[in-house]
Amino acid sequence: MAVTGTAAAVAITLPGAAGAENLPPSAAGTPGTTSTAAGAPGTDARGADGAAGADGKGGRAAPPATVVPAAAEGDRGTGTDPLTDAELARARDLALAPGDTATRQDVDGDRGRPQHLGTELADPVPGQEGRRRAQVRLYDYARDELVTRTVDLTTGKVESTGVRRGVQPSAHPEELRAAMELILASPLGEGVKEDYRDATGTELKGADQLWFNGDVYRTYREKNVPGALSRCGEHRCVRLVTKVRNGAWIDTRNLIVDLSARNVVRVG
């Protein structure tokens, strides 16, 4: 495990089946038995369906469970139904269609494609509840702007576009992956690689060998913010939690990635 200047590998034992014996019979379960009240002497302990009593005789096998397949998803939902996969794809295509997207930039630096953050069903227009509308959130890394577009899935038109700065919604998985790749490419990523080697005996060659998650780094929650991170909030910055796939944790919480500036800063 790296000590100074590197991230720390932390082994965690996940809870297993221990403690199940302390659960009541209805929770822990006992194979092949059912909890029933005891009958009075001389009475039949079987239920009306002919289930076995205390002597285990006279029972009738339960019918096999019936699995009902999920209904096929249509291209369009109705009312306040969640957006279908087809509607999500259409909403994103409509939001990316306006000409101004040519100058916008995603987390990887590709122009002509602002970073998609999320899509959700928009509130219906009073009196037009039958029209399905969606709100699409995009982030433009070229200008550090949150772009929100409302699109009409019935007419195929962009109804409105809002642009705000200094607003940082939760991070998208593509942004988290970009952050991990920046960590591994930076000198501060050497500690992560050492801890991976200590935990697995093999070399860490890419983000695919790790499990990671995280969210936006918000400076107002921190006691001490390095000067290099003073623009987080205006810039898009994230913090990750990381582990070896099916293995030990690797502490990367002290490595903050400024995705706008594309640099990695150690805190603490």
Side-chain angles (χ1 to χ4, degrees):
M1 179 182 296
V3 179
T4 302
T6 68
V10 183
I12 294 180
T13 301
L14 298 178
E21 67 276 8
N22 296 323
L23 296 175
S26 59
T30 303
T33 64
T34 304
S35 177
T36 59
T43 62
D44 188 352
R46 292 180 298 171
D49 61 353
D55 60 359
K57 298 178 181 179
R60 184 175 61 189
T66 301
V67 178
V68 179
E73 183 181 78
D75 289 339
R76 288 188 56 190
T78 58
T80 57
D81 289 347
L83 294 168
T84 66
D85 289 346
E87 287 177 317
L88 289 170
R90 176 168 168 75
R92 183 171 177 173
D93 289 344
L94 291 172
L96 293 173
D100 68 337
T101 58
T103 61
R104 299 190 183 276
Q105 184 174 310
D106 69 4
V107 68
D108 294 321
D110 296 332
R111 290 195 172 273
R113 179 182 177 271
Q115 180 63 47
H116 177 251
L117 298 183
T119 302
E120 59 189 18
L121 185 68
D123 292 334
V125 176
Q128 300 180 9
E129 286 76 9
R131 291 171 56 189
R132 299 271 284 176
R133 302 159 66 243
Q135 189 176 76
V136 184
R137 295 187 307 277
L138 309 165
Y139 196 83
D140 177 18
Y141 276 90
R143 301 177 180 87
D144 274 308
E145 294 176 342
L146 175 66
V147 181
T148 304
R149 288 197 168 117
T150 302
V151 299
D152 189 320
L153 297 171
T154 303
T155 64
K157 294 181 179 179
V158 176
E159 291 186 346
S160 64
T161 298
V163 177
R164 300 173 68 187
R165 291 186 176 180
V167 179
Q168 300 294 347
S170 294
H172 188 276
E174 291 176 359
E175 293 177 302
L176 299 180
R177 181 179 181 84
M180 177 54 70
E181 291 174 346
L182 286 171
I183 288 175
L184 296 181
S186 77
L188 293 176
E190 291 303 314
V192 178
K193 295 175 183 177
E194 289 178 18
D195 291 339
Y196 185 90
R197 188 185 308 116
D198 291 342
T200 67
T202 60
E203 298 297 322
L204 176 59
K205 298 180 179 179
D208 289 338
Q209 295 168 260
L210 299 169
W211 176 94
F212 49 87
N213 204 343
D215 206 352
V216 171
Y217 172 77
R218 304 188 189 277
T219 56
Y220 62 83
R221 296 178 180 173
E222 307 296 325
K223 291 184 179 179
N224 299 303
V225 178
L229 298 176
S230 61
R231 296 187 69 184
C232 290
E234 174 190 351
H235 282 189
R236 196 141 170 84
C237 303
V238 299
R239 166 184 269 153
L240 301 179
V241 292
T242 308
K243 70 189 297 286
V244 177
R245 284 189 179 274
N246 302 314
W249 290 91
I250 297 177
D251 194 354
T252 55
R253 293 171 297 175
N254 64 338
L255 301 179
I256 308 303
V257 182
D258 184 336
L259 291 170
S260 300
R262 299 186 68 79
N263 66 352
V264 183
V265 178
R266 186 190 299 277
V267 297

